[in-house]
Amino acid sequence: MRVVFWGTPEFAAPALRALVGEGFEVVGVVTRPDKPQGRSREIIPPPIKRIAIEEEIPVFQPKNAREATLYTTLEELKPDISVVVAYGNLLPQKIIDLPKLGTLNIHASLLPALRGAAPIQAAIRQGFSETGVTVMRVVAALDAGPIILQASAPIYEDETYGELQVRLAELGALTLVEALSLVSLGKANETPQDDSRATYVPKVTRESSRIDWNRSAIEISRLIRASDPKPGAYTRTPKGDVKMFGPKVMDGITGKPGEVLKITGELVIACGQDALRISEVQPAGKSRMAAHAWARGRATAVGDRYGG
């Protein structure tokens, strides 16, 4: 089976490696352009490009999927199927329909729940105990195509976005290989999604990652875990914005929302309900550090005059 692979971040890497390892003929990789990263603004290639170069697979980096010459370039590869894993750009219908077997996608939720840009973070923020991956056929509507295969996974109590993402990336790779095998044998059952049960999640933004200490400790804990390692849930302090990591809910401890209740040995902050123990912080422009070491002698409250 001749496969064109579309993907960009580390989340897509296990799927590409699995396709190569299982003997699928990956005839081309489409990924986003290299871009500057970090303070040095060094030009860094996407993780998927690095894998493609290692495996001697042709790499294409159009500005977007509608670039004029891209269709002709892919047509010359004569793909049987395309696979999309976190490419980062919507595909036009002409590109979706180019391979004779169409285009499949791995989405990191149990569709139709959590369609959209940030399903892993949303599953943690919304307090799900279980999520998973879906291999579906790509259609014009967002994450709305028929389901070919799904696999579920638990969300552990203290699990962060970064940790869950790694597990789902591996699960997605295994599920994709199984789905492609079913498609190649003509045994794939495609189940339409129930649109009435669909939920949608927006992109994660800086503002959506800001801590509101008026909320309950469990809600803030979920936000912090869903933002770890990136972009980092942050609060405002007199010394500037500070990201918070490693939350633990402290039941029955009260105070004004945002009030620092303890800094000796640990950092405990009051919330709208209960309190949070924070294990690590990251002040702007610095590395992560022990929260109590940062807080000692610095603050009696965080947020905008408590809570904001």
Side-chain angles (χ1 to χ4, degrees), residues 3-305:
V3 180
V4 169
F5 187 88
W6 301 68
T8 301
E10 194 64 44
F11 179 80
L16 178 55
R17 291 195 185 279
L19 292 179
V20 173
E22 292 294 325
F24 289 92
E25 188 178 0
V26 182
V27 295
V29 164
V30 186
T31 189
R32 300 295 296 277
D34 300 356
K35 64 179 183 179
Q37 296 182 18
R39 291 185 183 179
S40 66
R41 309 310 290 164
E42 180 183 0
I43 302 297
I44 303 293
I48 291 304
K49 179 180 180 178
R50 296 197 293 268
I51 296 172
I53 291 172
E54 290 173 12
E55 300 293 342
E56 299 182 343
I57 302 169
V59 180
F60 309 98
Q61 293 181 278
K63 290 182 180 178
N64 58 61
R66 298 182 182 278
E67 195 168 286
T69 60
L70 182 59
Y71 181 89
T72 302
T73 300
L74 297 180
E75 190 177 34
E76 292 173 354
L77 297 177
K78 297 180 171 56
D80 296 312
I81 199 165
S82 286
V83 171
V84 182
V85 188
Y87 169 60
N89 204 282
L90 294 177
L91 274 57
Q93 194 65 50
K94 186 178 181 181
I95 291 286
I96 292 171
D97 295 338
L98 190 156
K100 63 183 180 182
L101 295 175
T103 300
L104 305 187
N105 171 247
I106 301 175
H107 186 75
S109 79
L110 297 175
L111 292 170
L114 306 182
R115 293 177 180 177
I120 304 175
Q121 299 96 318
I124 295 174
R125 285 193 67 166
Q126 294 180 28
F128 285 21
S129 61
E130 181 182 73
T131 187
V133 295
T134 300
V135 177
M136 64 174 178
R137 185 166 296 283
V138 175
V139 297
L142 178 66
D143 300 329
I147 294 168
I148 296 174
L149 205 59
Q150 291 185 314
S152 61
I155 299 177
Y156 302 124
E157 183 178 355
D158 296 326
E159 194 163 27
T160 66
Y161 158 57
E163 293 164 343
L164 181 56
Q165 180 178 235
V166 169
R167 290 202 297 120
L168 292 183
E170 296 290 346
L171 181 62
L174 294 173
T175 308
L176 173 65
V177 168
E178 185 177 352
L180 286 176
S181 298
L182 292 172
V183 170
S184 67
L185 295 171
K187 295 183 178 180
N189 294 318
E190 301 189 15
T191 305
Q193 294 188 44
D194 182 353
D195 291 339
S196 68
R197 295 176 51 241
T199 57
Y200 294 85
V201 292
K203 290 182 179 180
V204 174
T205 65
R206 175 171 170 77
E207 187 56 33
S208 70
S209 302
R210 181 179 170 186
I211 297 170
D212 178 358
W213 296 102
N214 291 297
R215 294 191 173 274
S216 69
I218 187 64
E219 289 177 291
I220 298 172
S221 171
R222 290 170 182 165
L223 170 62
I224 293 172
R225 291 190 294 112
S227 306
D228 182 354
K230 293 182 178 180
Y234 73 97
T235 187
R236 291 180 173 172
T237 77
K239 297 291 186 178
D241 293 347
V242 177
K243 296 178 181 179
M244 306 247 158
F245 302 96
K248 182 176 177 58
V249 175
M250 310 292 284
D251 293 330
I253 297 178
T254 60
K256 294 180 179 180
E259 182 182 1
V260 176
L261 302 175
K262 184 178 180 182
I263 60 174
T264 305
E266 56 188 20
L267 174 62
V268 178
I269 303 173
C271 306
Q273 179 180 336
D274 301 319
L276 273 186
R277 185 177 72 197
I278 303 295
S279 65
E280 291 185 309
V281 300
Q282 184 177 11
K286 297 184 179 181
S287 301
R288 287 199 194 189
M289 62 181 69
H292 65 86
W294 166 81
R296 190 175 298 120
R298 287 178 177 265
T300 59
V302 294
D304 295 332
R305 298 189 66 186

